[in-house]
């Protein structure tokens, strides 16, 4: 318990530092006088940049990263597979399909249409996965179904992209698929935060079942665990969290996969206790990645999904290498 408390404290301090840096550091450099004006005069230009541009963007990255980290931890616990993440089961791809369809049909001009479409896509994926999980017991079969769903949604999104008659719509779809929290406002934060809170509630209800599942399905069932209820709770949590994240920031990979691995040792691999630390780790990862995307000196700002892949892939390779060494021992 002491290790877990220490982990929470370290994560909280790191998030505070990352958020502070994300608000104070940006493409536009301020002198001390401008920073002072930002804190004392809410109507000044620097205050507008700090509190209406950078701050909501940083908080949005935090909430989206937390959603992806939570979804990844739930999926890895349910499937008992350390390589599982929201993308594996097709939730991210189906949410992206809903968003792409809304963009091509002209819904981008109406506030909330693209976001709701992405959430509906994730909800449909979650419903299909719940039905599939009631028909097949093996986690491997559910993974294969998810991979098929992801492939189909990806192909449908590519088809929509190719058939779109508008170059502007194609550019918007491509930007969505690359992921970004650029130009996000406090309205976006207010929209995504409750959805992530709902997902966290379902995840908390599944925590005890995920812990029992480590004993195996048969042993867990003899202890009174309802696998149908557990699968439904876990899949709803993952679908809502992923759908909310994709709805606000587009498709962002590697966070849901890598975040649980960063904290697994501190909770001794307990799939029930890893949920909250994974959410914090995912939020921290995305705040740092977005800060790097903003300050990297390029002609065009890097997309967040590109940065997370560049950071996440080597990080995950290091984690896998260390795990392989332990397996050999």
């Amino acid at each position: 318990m002491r290790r877990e408390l220490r982990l929470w404290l370290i994560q909280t301090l790191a998030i505070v530092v990352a958020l502070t840096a994300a608000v104070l550091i940006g493409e536009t450099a301020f002198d001390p006088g401008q920073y002072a004006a930002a804190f004392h005069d809410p109507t000044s230009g620097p205050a507008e940049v700090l509190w209406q541009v950078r701050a909501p963007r940083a908080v949005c990255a935090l909430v989206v990263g937390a959603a992806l980290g939570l979804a990844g931890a739930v999926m890895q616990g349910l499937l008992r597979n350390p390589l599982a993440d929201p993308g594996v089961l097709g939730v991210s791809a189906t949410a992206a399909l809903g968003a792409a369809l809304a963009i091509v049909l002209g819904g981008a001009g109406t506030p909330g249409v693209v976001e709701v479409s992405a959430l509906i896509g994730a909800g449909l994926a979650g419903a299909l996965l719940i039905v599939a999980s009631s028909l097949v017991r093996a986690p491997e079969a559910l993974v294969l179904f998810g991979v098929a769903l992801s492939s189909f949604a990806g192909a449908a999104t590519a088809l929509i992209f190719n058939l779109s008659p508008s170059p502007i719509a194609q550019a918007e779809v491509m930007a969505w698929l690359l992921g970004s929290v650029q130009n996000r406002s406090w309205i976006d934060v207010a929209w995504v935060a409750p959805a992530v809170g709902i997902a966290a509630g379902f995840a908390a209800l599944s925590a005890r079942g995920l812990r029992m599942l480590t004993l195996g399905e048969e042993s867990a069932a003899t202890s009174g665990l309802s696998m149908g209820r557990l699968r439904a709770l876990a899949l709803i949590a993952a679908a809502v969290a992923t759908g909310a994240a994709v709805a606000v920031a587009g498709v962002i990979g590697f966070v849901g996969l890598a975040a649980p691995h960063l904290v697994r040792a501190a909770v001794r691999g307990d799939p029930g206790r890893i949920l909250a630390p994974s959410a914090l780790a995912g939020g921290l990862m995305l705040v740092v990645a977005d800060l790097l995307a903003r300050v990297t000196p390029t002609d065009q700002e890097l997309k967040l999904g590109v940065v997370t892949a560049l950071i996440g892939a080597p990080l995950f390779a290091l984690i896998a290498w260390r795990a392989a060494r332990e397996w050999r021992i």
Side-chain angles (χ1 to χ4, degrees), residues 58-329:
V59 174
C60 192
L62 175 66
V63 177
V64 169
L68 294 174
L70 176 66
V74 170
M75 287 292 92
Q76 291 179 14
L78 177 65
L79 300 176
R80 287 166 287 167
N81 187 338
L83 297 179
D85 78 332
V88 170
L89 294 185
V91 180
S92 297
T94 313
L97 173 60
L101 185 61
I103 292 172
V104 171
L105 294 178
T110 304
V113 171
V114 176
E115 290 81 358
V116 172
S117 299
L119 198 56
I120 291 174
L124 290 176
L128 290 174
L129 290 169
I130 291 174
V131 172
S133 67
S134 66
L135 300 176
V136 295
R137 294 184 57 185
E140 295 81 3
L142 188 60
V143 171
L144 291 175
F145 179 82
V147 170
L149 181 61
S150 180
S151 299
F152 175 80
T157 302
L159 180 63
I160 290 173
F161 181 82
N162 288 334
L163 296 180
S164 173
S166 171
I168 296 177
Q170 289 182 337
E172 290 179 349
V173 171
M174 181 58 66
W176 194 272
L177 295 178
L178 293 176
S180 176
V181 289
Q182 188 177 11
N183 299 325
R184 298 306 184 264
S185 66
W186 290 115
I187 296 177
D188 296 299
V189 174
W191 189 92
V192 69
V196 177
I198 293 172
F202 279 102
L205 292 175
S206 69
R208 179 174 176 271
L210 294 176
R211 188 177 298 114
M212 295 173 63
L213 195 59
T214 57
L215 303 174
E217 285 195 22
E218 294 184 0
S219 299
T222 58
S223 301
L225 175 65
S226 171
M227 282 302 303
R229 179 176 181 272
L230 173 61
R231 289 193 183 107
L233 289 172
L235 289 172
I236 290 173
V240 173
T242 305
V246 174
V248 172
V251 180
I252 298 175
F254 270 104
V255 176
L257 179 64
H261 289 277
L262 295 176
V263 297
R264 179 164 278 116
V267 297
R268 296 180 174 85
D270 188 325
R273 291 162 54 196
I274 202 175
L275 300 178
S278 295
L280 294 176
L284 177 61
M285 283 181 62
L286 213 58
V287 173
V288 174
D290 184 56
L291 179 59
L292 291 176
R294 286 196 288 120
V295 300
T296 301
T298 54
D299 293 336
Q300 292 185 348
E301 182 178 306
L302 295 177
K303 292 298 183 181
L304 189 51
V306 176
V307 178
T308 57
L310 291 174
I311 296 176
L315 178 62
F316 188 71
L318 176 62
I319 294 171
W321 177 70
R322 293 178 62 182
R325 290 184 61 189
E326 294 176 0
W327 294 336
R328 287 198 299 268
I329 294 174

